[in-house]
Amino acid sequence: MEKLSGNQKKKFVHGVFESIAGRYDVMNSILSFRRHKAWRKFTMKKMQVRPGQTAIDVCCGTCDWTISLAEASQTGKMVGLDFSANMLEVGKRKIEEKNRQQQIELVEGDAMKLPFPDNTFDHATIGFALRNVPDLVQVLKEMKRVVKPGGQVVSLELSKPTSPLFRRIYLFYFQKVLPVLGKLFANSYEQYRWLPESLVSFPDYQELKKLMEEEVGLEVEVYPLTFGITALHLGRKPVE
């Protein structure tokens, strides 16, 4: 697939997620061997969300992380933001099943320009979506802008193993096997071919940490998970 410009990428990715929304959760479990739930549980433990705190879950998809944040906060206001109406519709049904409608607001919006004032939330999260945005620095800057001083900007994202051998095996799986599984289980070969291609040019976890520190201005802790195939970045907005 040829390299896309920012606007082309935004339009293409939007079409991908609109089309796979109904099968997104099943495919996540299959393709991550159900590890995505353990990764999110680890992240929540490290975040230490306190009762009453607020959060925005950027590119919230079908809202699993949004709901976890709401449960941890108990009473704090949560916002789930995504540009895919179909993904949000799936998330809305989950929120209703959990009876969290009064606590969680869903917003169809742009991660590149969050529709909230500065210093609004205690936490801003983005899960498995940073590699899909047109400009990851812009998105991280927006997340930093809307969290309070001392608040957290958190990314949980696929990464690249540090071991050269394991990295080759890993990329082979993502580039060759994953699209076939997408075809078999979701009838979506082209859509699932995009997901591994989005990872090839994405920074590894060490590069992303440096970028978050130097270009976004966050204090960052990084945790590579499962041999580095996923990484958690905990960014803290400095208190001025």
Side-chain angles (χ1 to χ4, degrees), residues 13 22 34 44 68-69 75 77 195 197 217 228 232:
V13 173
R34 296 185 65 84
M44 290 299 298
S68 293
L69 290 163
T75 59
K77 184 71 174 180
L195 297 181
E197 288 186 0
L232 164 62

Side-chain angles (χ1 to χ4, degrees), residues 30-224:
I30 292 171
L31 300 177
S32 71
F33 305 102
R34 296 185 65 84
R35 293 304 299 162
H36 67 292
K37 295 183 178 181
W39 296 331
R40 188 169 65 249
K41 184 177 180 181
F42 176 84
T43 299
M44 290 299 298
K45 182 178 179 180
K46 289 294 183 182
M47 286 182 67
Q48 298 182 328
V49 177
R50 298 192 300 274
Q53 288 190 323
T54 60
I56 179 170
D57 187 18
V58 179
C59 304
C60 64
T62 59
C63 299
D64 284 343
W65 199 354
T66 320
I67 293 169
S68 293
L69 290 163
E71 290 172 343
S73 172
Q74 300 175 24
T75 59
K77 184 71 174 180
M78 300 290 139
V79 171
L81 180 141
D82 203 282
F83 69 169
S84 169
N86 290 347
M87 297 285 274
L88 289 174
E89 186 59 35
V90 176
K92 180 183 177 182
R93 293 196 292 269
K94 291 182 183 179
I95 291 166
E96 291 172 349
E97 290 172 3
K98 296 287 187 178
N99 197 28
R100 295 277 174 179
Q101 306 96 304
Q102 300 304 312
Q103 188 184 2
I104 300 174
E105 175 189 3
L106 296 183
V107 176
E108 186 176 344
D110 187 353
M112 300 274 286
K113 190 175 182 181
L114 299 177
F116 296 95
D118 297 358
N119 308 322
T120 300
F121 303 98
D122 295 297
H123 309 276
T125 62
I126 184 165
F128 304 107
L130 194 58
R131 70 190 187 282
N132 293 323
V133 300
D135 185 335
L136 65 91
V137 171
Q138 173 64 20
V139 170
L140 290 168
K141 285 182 176 179
E142 277 291 280
M143 292 170 69
K144 177 189 175 186
R145 179 183 65 78
V146 299
V147 298
K148 303 170 185 176
Q152 292 189 106
V153 174
V154 183
S155 168
L156 180 62
E157 184 56 272
L158 295 175
S159 189
K160 300 168 187 173
T162 53
S163 163
L165 176 60
F166 188 58
R167 181 181 290 213
R168 285 198 295 271
I169 296 171
Y170 171 71
L171 291 177
F172 175 82
Y173 169 76
F174 262 75
Q175 293 172 325
K176 303 297 183 182
V177 179
L178 187 150
V180 175
L181 293 176
K183 176 65 175 178
L184 289 174
F185 290 97
N187 196 29
S188 302
Y189 180 85
E190 286 299 323
Q191 290 89 335
Y192 280 94
R193 190 179 71 162
W194 157 256
L195 297 181
E197 288 186 0
S198 70
L199 182 62
V200 172
S201 60
F202 190 74
D204 65 27
Y205 66 83
Q206 294 163 324
E207 294 167 338
L208 183 57
K209 178 179 186 291
K210 183 177 180 181
L211 181 151
M212 291 175 71
E213 290 173 335
E214 296 182 358
E215 296 193 39
V216 185
L218 296 166
E219 301 164 359
V220 182
E221 296 178 11
V222 60
Y223 300 89

